[in-house]
């Protein structure tokens, strides 16, 4: 009786022991998990230098700009709180309204032009051959070249005399010399053309990535149904690239609203304010005329406009997905 009772107790404890063995990991696994959890700080250690740079050169200046937008900035004398006075001054300035119109025109033109050029290049250069890879790399070179270099090269090509580079080319087809960035009538279009030339290859690479994600079976089914190339582009390619176009539109709009370097180096807002954009105007107000409070108010308004545009596009995209 005693032996049978002991065997029964041992049999009853066996599942508990087995469960305990399964539930608790072996010592080696526990040590490995502890070691992994103890190294959580390693990614943050690598990110710390970049985060510090963002903090010092982006986020702290943003907070200071918001603070200065409601103050009369007086270096070495102390700032005075003026409330919304700086916003009233910048909004009532005719130069700011003209610069806003020029910024919108330039942003819309560059956005549409970059999307069209990028889409056309993506259709022409889609494939996996080595020749296409080399051509894509060559087409992408304007994106990696610094904007200062690109602006200086195009300023040289826009030389307004008859022996200028572009005037020589258009002279071959019987067109007269143009003044390009030296004329108020053509300066904005000249800057826009340079921006499209530089931004189109960037859109091309993103569109190429979007084209790779479209199901090839859809093209085959459209071909079987008798669709030609244009119909396949309209009914298969464009709907498949809708999320890509949304992202590109947001990026291009933000880039267009913040345009500064090419305008500053090529025309500096001239001639006669024909290419004056918001960023160049704020630069002149803040750093050349010493109106840091008014310039900061304009920068805050530009940031809010960009934020509203981004949120509006995302909201429209979500509604289309839900519908």
């Amino acid at each position: 009786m005693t032996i049978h009772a002991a065997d029964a107790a041992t049999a009853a404890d066996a599942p508990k022991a087995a469960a305990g063995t399964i539930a608790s990991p072996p010592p080696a696994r526990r040590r490995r998990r502890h070691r992994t959890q103890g190294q959580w700080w390693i990614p943050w250690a690598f990110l710390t230098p970049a985060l510090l740079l963002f903090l010092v050169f982006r986020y702290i200046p943003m907070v200071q700009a918001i603070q200065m937008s409601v103050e009369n900035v007086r270096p070495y004398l102390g700032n005075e709180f003026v409330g919304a006075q700086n916003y009233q001054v910048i909004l009532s300035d005719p130069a700011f309204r003209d610069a806003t119109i020029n910024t919108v025109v330039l942003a819309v033109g560059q956005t549409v032009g970059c999307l069209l050029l990028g889409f056309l290049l993506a259709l022409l250069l889609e494939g996996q051959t080595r020749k296409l890879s080399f051509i894509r790399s060559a087409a992408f070179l304007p994106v990696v070249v610094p904007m200062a270099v690109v602006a200086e090269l195009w300023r040289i090509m826009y030389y307004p005399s008859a022996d200028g580079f572009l005037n020589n080319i258009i002279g071959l087809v019987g067109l007269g010399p143009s003044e390009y960035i030296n004329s108020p009538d053509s300066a904005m279009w000249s800057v826009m053309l340079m921006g499209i030339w530089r931004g189109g290859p960037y859109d091309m690479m993103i569109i190429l990535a979007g084209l790779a994600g479209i199901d090839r079976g859809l093209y085959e089914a459209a071909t079987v149904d008798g669709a030609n190339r244009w119909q396949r582009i309209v009914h298969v390619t464009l709907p498949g690239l809708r999320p890509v176009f949304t992202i590109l539109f947001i990026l291009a709009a933000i880039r267009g609203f913040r345009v500064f370097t090419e305008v500053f180096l090529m025309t500096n807002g001239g001639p006669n304010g024909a290419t004056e954009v918001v960023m160049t105007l704020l630069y002149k107000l803040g750093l050349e005329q010493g109106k840091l409070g008014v310039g900061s108010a304009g920068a805050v308004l530009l940031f809010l406009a960009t934020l509203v545009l981004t949120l509006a596009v995302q909201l429209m995209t979500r509604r289309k997905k839900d519908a």
Side-chain angles (χ1 to χ4, degrees), residues 194-257:
M194 188 272 294
I196 294 173
W197 175 83
R198 188 176 188 271
Y202 177 82
D203 293 357
M204 174 198 71
M205 298 302 293
I206 299 180
I207 293 174
L208 281 173
L211 289 175
I214 298 178
D215 186 7
R216 297 299 164 181
L218 298 176
Y219 290 105
E220 297 176 358
T223 304
V224 171
D225 292 339
N228 55 30
R229 182 175 179 82
W230 173 251
Q231 290 173 337
R232 291 196 300 269
I233 292 175
V234 172
H235 298 288
V236 178
T237 305
L238 292 179
L241 292 177
R242 188 174 300 167
V244 176
F245 285 141
T246 301
I247 296 174
L248 288 177
F249 178 79
I250 295 174
L251 294 177
I254 294 174
R255 186 170 61 245
F257 282 157

Side-chain angles (χ1 to χ4, degrees), residues 81-114:
F81 180 79
V82 294
Q85 181 178 349
N86 291 330
Y87 292 93
Q88 296 175 356
V89 171
I90 193 68
L91 290 175
S92 61
D93 188 359
F96 181 75
R97 291 196 295 268
D98 295 339
T100 302
I101 295 175
N102 291 336
T103 302
V104 173
V105 171
L106 186 60
V108 172
Q110 287 188 351
T111 300
V112 176
C114 289

Side-chain angles (χ1 to χ4, degrees), residues 23-305:
S24 60
R29 186 178 302 176
R30 286 199 300 268
R31 287 196 299 268
R32 192 181 304 114
R33 183 182 303 174
H34 178 72
R35 190 183 303 114
T36 303
Q37 294 176 354
Q39 296 176 352
W40 61 269
W41 53 271
I42 292 180
W44 291 102
F46 284 99
L47 290 173
T48 297
L51 294 177
L52 289 177
L53 290 176
F54 272 91
L55 179 65
V56 174
F57 294 103
R58 173 162 295 187
Y59 298 116
I60 292 179
M62 286 176 60
V63 175
Q64 291 178 343
I66 296 174
Q67 180 181 356
M68 289 190 300
S69 67
V70 294
E71 294 178 342
N72 179 22
V73 181
R74 302 183 305 171
Y76 309 108
L77 297 176
N79 299 343
E80 293 180 345
F81 180 79
V82 294
Q85 181 178 349
N86 291 330
Y87 292 93
Q88 296 175 356
V89 171
I90 193 68
L91 290 175
S92 61
D93 188 359
F96 181 75
R97 291 196 295 268
D98 295 339
T100 302
I101 295 175
N102 291 336
T103 302
V104 173
V105 171
L106 186 60
V108 172
Q110 287 188 351
T111 300
V112 176
C114 289
L115 287 175
L116 291 177
L117 179 60
F119 182 66
L120 178 62
L121 291 175
L123 292 179
L124 294 175
L125 301 179
E126 184 185 11
Q128 300 296 330
T129 62
R130 293 183 179 180
K131 294 182 180 179
L132 289 179
S133 299
F134 175 78
I135 296 175
R136 283 197 296 264
S137 300
F140 192 72
L141 284 178
V143 181
V144 299
V145 177
M147 177 57 75
V149 177
V150 173
E152 185 63 21
L153 288 176
W154 277 80
R155 190 181 65 83
I156 295 173
M157 290 192 298
Y158 281 148
Y159 192 70
S161 66
D163 57 348
F165 180 79
L166 291 181
N167 281 332
N168 269 326
I169 294 177
I170 64 176
L172 298 177
V173 294
L175 297 178
S178 174
E179 296 185 359
Y180 297 110
I181 58 176
N182 292 333
S183 173
D185 298 328
S186 58
M188 177 63 71
W189 305 109
S190 301
V191 175
M192 188 182 301
L193 177 62
M194 188 272 294
I196 294 173
W197 175 83
R198 188 176 188 271
Y202 177 82
D203 293 357
M204 174 198 71
M205 298 302 293
I206 299 180
I207 293 174
L208 281 173
L211 289 175
I214 298 178
D215 186 7
R216 297 299 164 181
L218 298 176
Y219 290 105
E220 297 176 358
T223 304
V224 171
D225 292 339
N228 55 30
R229 182 175 179 82
W230 173 251
Q231 290 173 337
R232 291 196 300 269
I233 292 175
V234 172
H235 298 288
V236 178
T237 305
L238 292 179
L241 292 177
R242 188 174 300 167
V244 176
F245 285 141
T246 301
I247 296 174
L248 288 177
F249 178 79
I250 295 174
L251 294 177
I254 294 174
R255 186 170 61 245
F257 282 157
R258 298 190 308 171
V259 61
F260 172 76
T261 306
E262 54 266 44
V263 176
F264 180 76
L265 294 177
M266 295 179 68
T267 64
N268 195 21
N272 298 328
T275 60
E276 190 80 88
V277 293
V278 174
M279 290 295 294
T280 56
L281 178 63
L282 298 181
Y283 174 84
K284 294 175 182 178
L285 288 174
L287 299 181
E288 293 182 1
Q289 302 179 18
K291 301 178 181 179
L292 293 175
V294 178
S296 299
V300 173
L301 292 176
L302 181 62
F303 169 75
L304 292 177

